[in-house]
Amino acid sequence: MAEIIYVTQEGLDNLRDELSKLIARRPIISAAIAEARDKGDLSENAEYDAAREEQGLLELKISKLQEKLINAKVIDESKLGTDKIQMLNKVKLKNLNNKSVVEYTLVGESEANFKEGKLAASTPIGKALMGRSKGDIVEVKVPAGLLKFEILDISI
């Protein structure tokens, strides 16, 4: 069974947008293949090989996006609470190792953007936070070692 991908409505719209842009590229690549084919011997035609490779990569991306869309589950933001950490919660954490305070919003993998403070719930930190409450101390094993966080706040 395929893994469910949790997304916001905005994230779903972005996936659909990206898919439509990729599908719009199909005729362009097909035309490039046809043009390269018209140039003669295909066994020594680098343009033809490049266009076919680009077509293969495009079809792979389209297939992966279609699979994500099929398995996407939109999170109902009206049902979010702040008693326990769940998807789309904004979480304020104190790193007990270095005393820094960070804030993340837990999102689906396709919407993760660390620079914007959007942390994928499927990451080790995200998994460790899910279901926890304000005041809990969470230990997370990451490649760099063991991190300890205190959950300072949970908001929407």
Side-chain angles (χ1 to χ4, degrees), residues 118-132:
K118 294 181 178 180
L119 180 69
S122 59
T123 61
I125 295 172
K127 286 179 184 177
L129 292 173
M130 294 298 278
R132 298 302 194 101

Side-chain angles (χ1 to χ4, degrees), residues 29-49 51-52:
I29 294 175
S30 292
I33 290 171
E35 184 181 320
R37 189 181 300 127
D38 290 342
K39 291 186 178 178
D41 185 10
L42 298 181
S43 64
E44 296 179 13
N45 190 331
E47 279 182 55
Y48 177 77
D49 291 340
R52 290 288 297 175

